[in-house]
Amino acid sequence: MHPTITPTELAREAGMDRRDVIEKCMETGVPIFHGRIDKTLFLATLQEQAQRHANLVKTGRTHMMDATPITFGQEMSAFVAQLDIAERTIR
């Protein structure tokens, strides 16, 4: 697996929207060089965010409707887990 990945590839792997990937990179300070993201840095940043905000409760969303409340940490952990599963599947 390449150490860098495009925002579109990362979005596909994480089950996120491409705009969300770019926005999350901007929010967390993960650089995008020549249209590519350092995947290791991105994952480490998401894991750190998950730990930092483990107790921050937010409204869950499903199909644009309110759902069971979750923590921001759970949401970030889900992105990290999805990327890990995708990488293991590829290998």
Side-chain angles (χ1 to χ4, degrees):
M1 176 68 85
H2 296 291
T4 62
I5 190 167
T6 67
T8 303
E9 294 166 336
L10 188 57
R12 230 179 273 135
E13 286 185 21
M16 297 170 69
D17 186 84
R18 181 178 180 275
R19 292 180 301 256
D20 293 338
V21 169
I22 293 170
E23 181 181 327
K24 188 55 64 186
C25 285
M26 291 171 54
E27 285 175 9
T28 58
V30 174
I32 301 175
F33 292 114
H34 300 290
R36 299 193 69 82
I37 300 167
D38 182 325
K39 187 174 176 181
T40 305
L41 180 59
F42 185 79
L43 286 174
T45 302
L46 286 182
Q47 288 170 334
E48 187 268 326
Q49 291 282 325
Q51 291 171 355
R52 184 184 322 160
H53 301 292
N55 297 319
L56 179 65
V57 178
K58 65 183 265 329
T59 304
R61 303 288 290 177
T62 179
H63 305 297
M64 304 307 290
M65 302 289 292
D66 290 341
T68 304
I70 61 172
T71 66
F72 185 70
Q74 287 173 312
E75 186 172 11
M76 291 297 101
S77 293
F79 292 144
V80 172
Q82 189 66 25
L83 287 167
D84 184 49
I85 290 167
E87 187 170 1
R88 282 188 281 139
T89 301
I90 290 169
R91 289 176 189 221

